[in-house]
Amino acid sequence: MERKSWTEAQQYCREEFTDLATIDDMTENKKVKSTMQEAGAGDAWIGLKEEWQWSLVDRENEAEFRSWEPGQPNGGEGGDSTHPYVLVTERKNWTDAQRYCREKHTDLASARNQAENEQIKGVIPHSNHLNPVLYWIGLFRDAWEWSDGSSSTFRHWGAGEPNNQGVACTEIEPSGQWKDADCGDGSHFICYEDELVLVRENKTWREALQYCREHHVDLVSVTTDHIQRWVSELAKGASTAHVWVGLLHSYGVGWYWVCGQTVCYSNWTPGHEQVESFHQGVGAVESGGGQWVSNLTKTDQLNFICTTKDGCD
């Protein structure tokens, strides 16, 4: 068993598998715990890391831009504005400032490149450099993020955790509880392997279904936000504008997945969920944004995504 820092573990998992483990619920936590017990491992890295993030959630365009003063970060001050940038001279704490911006404008300002940083700087009045007036911006350090970028909010911290004062990563203990630790520490780690396969061949929906069942298990059923994220990422590599998934519509049933589950979680393009009750249809996802569409027919030929796992989970 290898011991690596969190960054080294992340790189290894991405090269050899998919990514460091993401844990969405207690069932998955128990699976990871069982894997550790079988391997006889002690504490091990999982994919949860504390990060600086922008209040304005814009993951498609967000860059890892930072413009710290020497010796920073050591606090939370910056500039307060939105798109287009608006200076607010009321004094508020960061949370109240965020709430104000979201109610009155869009959000606290995000400086995602040097040009935006200069625009924000341009709305701030000149002040005495010995006692400068400071303004909030939307960068905060109150969030934990999974290595694969998923939005799972499940946490299983041990008593008194997390308690690390610096930038921290997450280890899982043999007990199954989590603790934060210095990301540079050497530790065992847990990878996960993606269960989805993008097939870059143009086939009708029925041909795609047959291919997946012959070569893998089935067309993918997108039953959770976690699976949706995987599908969206894979779809970006498609050679067609849309990608087949295992989504069907039948008279008297409505929309359902080939795994046998009716649609509960959904990510429809506006206007595509409602179809005539007698309509026999199939669904696909957009290659760019990952939203679902219903305006295709079973004779259209698209790339498609297969799953290597049985069932709807």
Side-chain angles (χ1 to χ4, degrees):
M1 291 182 289
E2 300 183 50
R3 298 185 68 89
K4 296 180 181 291
S5 69
W6 190 90
T7 302
E8 292 169 340
Q10 180 192 53
Q11 180 179 352
Y12 179 92
C13 288
R14 288 180 172 179
E15 290 175 352
E16 300 294 331
F17 300 96
T18 300
D19 212 319
L20 278 165
T22 295
I23 301 175
D24 288 325
D25 51 39
M26 187 55 74
T27 299
E28 291 188 1
N29 200 67
K30 289 179 180 177
K31 290 179 181 178
V32 171
K33 175 183 173 182
S34 176
T35 299
M36 294 171 61
Q37 290 174 338
E38 291 174 4
D43 297 344
W45 292 127
I46 55 176
L48 192 63
K49 182 182 180 183
E50 190 177 20
E51 293 282 6
W52 286 92
Q53 296 184 358
W54 291 110
S55 175
L56 178 62
V57 179
D58 187 5
R59 292 192 180 277
E60 279 297 313
N61 301 312
E62 183 174 350
E64 289 301 314
F65 176 76
R66 304 290 185 266
S67 186
W68 299 117
E69 289 290 326
Q72 298 291 326
N74 65 1
E77 286 121 345
D80 173 17
S81 51
T82 57
H83 297 288
Y85 302 112
V86 177
L87 178 68
V88 180
T89 56
E90 298 181 43
R91 297 188 66 84
K92 298 180 180 291
N93 62 38
W94 190 91
T95 302
D96 288 342
Q98 181 195 51
R99 183 181 301 111
Y100 178 96
C101 288
R102 288 179 172 179
E103 290 175 354
K104 304 291 185 180
H105 303 285
T106 301
D107 209 321
L108 280 166
S110 295
R112 293 164 295 182
N113 51 54
Q114 188 62 45
E116 289 187 354
N117 200 59
E118 290 298 315
Q119 286 181 311
I120 293 170
K121 177 183 174 182
V123 303
I124 300 174
H126 293 291
S127 61
N128 188 332
H129 71 279
L130 297 177
N131 188 27
V133 178
L134 302 174
Y135 303 85
W136 293 124
I137 57 173
L139 193 61
F140 68 102
R141 190 178 163 229
D142 190 30
W144 289 82
E145 183 178 62
W146 290 103
S147 175
D148 68 356
S150 63
S151 59
S152 172
T153 58
F154 174 75
R155 304 288 184 267
H156 192 52
W157 298 112
E161 300 288 345
N163 59 11
N164 194 294
Q165 297 302 310
V167 176
C169 298
T170 305
E171 291 178 314
I172 183 170
E173 300 175 314
S175 65
Q177 292 186 309
W178 308 354
K179 67 177 184 179
D180 61 342
D182 190 311
C183 300
D185 291 348
S187 180
H188 302 131
F189 49 96
I190 309 291
C191 301
Y192 76 86
E193 190 163 17
D194 213 339
E195 297 160 349
L196 306 182
V197 178
L198 172 65
V199 180
R200 294 181 183 86
E201 297 182 27
N202 292 351
K203 295 184 180 293
T204 66
W205 190 91
R206 289 290 181 190
E207 290 170 343
L209 179 69
Q210 182 178 355
Y211 180 98
C212 288
R213 289 180 172 177
E214 288 179 354
H215 295 87
H216 301 287
V217 172
D218 215 335
L219 271 172
V220 63
S221 295
V222 188
T223 56
T224 66
D225 176 71
H226 191 57
I227 299 174
Q228 172 66 41
R229 185 195 169 277
W230 288 356
V231 167
S232 297
E233 287 300 314
L234 278 179
K236 291 177 183 178
S239 60
T240 52
H242 297 88
V243 177
W244 290 128
V245 292
L247 186 57
L248 283 164
H249 184 276
S250 295
Y251 174 72
V253 178
W255 288 104
Y256 66 98
W257 296 104
V258 291
C259 70
Q261 181 173 306
T262 56
V263 171
C264 296
Y265 167 82
S266 65
N267 190 42
W268 289 104
T269 298
H272 279 252
E273 181 176 4
Q274 300 299 324
V275 296
E276 297 292 337
S277 60
F278 57 82
H279 177 69
Q280 303 292 311
V282 291
V285 301
E286 298 171 340
S287 299
Q291 287 188 299
W292 309 352
V293 297
S294 61
N295 60 345
L296 300 169
T297 70
K298 292 181 180 179
T299 59
D300 288 316
Q301 295 194 340
L302 309 174
N303 292 181
F304 52 97
I305 296 176
C306 302
T307 179
T308 62
K309 182 180 178 182
D310 288 314
C312 292
D313 296 331

